Amino acid sequence: MTTIRVATEADAEEILAIYAKYIEQTAITFEYVVPSIEEFRGRIRHTLERFPYLVAEKDGKIAGYAYVSPFKERAAYDWSVETSIYVDMEQKRSGIGRRLYEELENILKQQGILNVNACIAYPQAEDEYLTKDSVLFHEKLGYTMVGTFHQCGYKFHRWYDMVWMEKFIGEHRENQPDIIPFPKLKMEK
């Protein structure tokens, strides 16, 4: 049984254990150094000040997580976010990623978010560090390709592209209501 819930700072160690493998073994993230547990707790805390940060628990263990961050820091971008998702490498293709994104999108819609954007490392040719799986996953969830930045990420002595994908989850209006910060949304439930 898999459940989706809001992450807490107490989850940082389990979440970081999932993320560390992506840093050390893949080019899925362009981060080189595994952050300290204190830094990672801070990242979770900072995200939850405004946005959801979700974990998928399977058999009492965190099997994946997803969160969003501001697309850009300017006020005009408030209705757009950048998504991030990581699933335990042993749990890939089990439906956990889809469930995390579905719940994330449900919460973002309640907040008034309209655009979800994914920044994805992309290989010119697949290799042992990076495949095109993330793009295929996002396509299945309704994201469309927006653009490619060529050879902009360097990891494992190789150059990788980065692509942007987007999905609209709300209606764009002339008088757009302000977004509701996640902590306020939780209080209103």
Side-chain angles (χ1 to χ4, degrees), residues 128-140:
E128 67 269 31
Y129 302 112
L130 188 62
T131 67
K132 298 177 180 179
D133 287 354
S134 187
V135 166
L136 298 173
F137 169 76
H138 284 82
E139 284 176 347
K140 286 180 185 175

Side-chain angles (χ1 to χ4, degrees), residues 14-27:
E14 275 189 85
I15 296 170
L16 185 56
I18 292 170
Y19 185 51
K21 290 179 183 176
Y22 284 93
I23 294 171
E24 296 169 342
Q25 300 172 19
T26 78

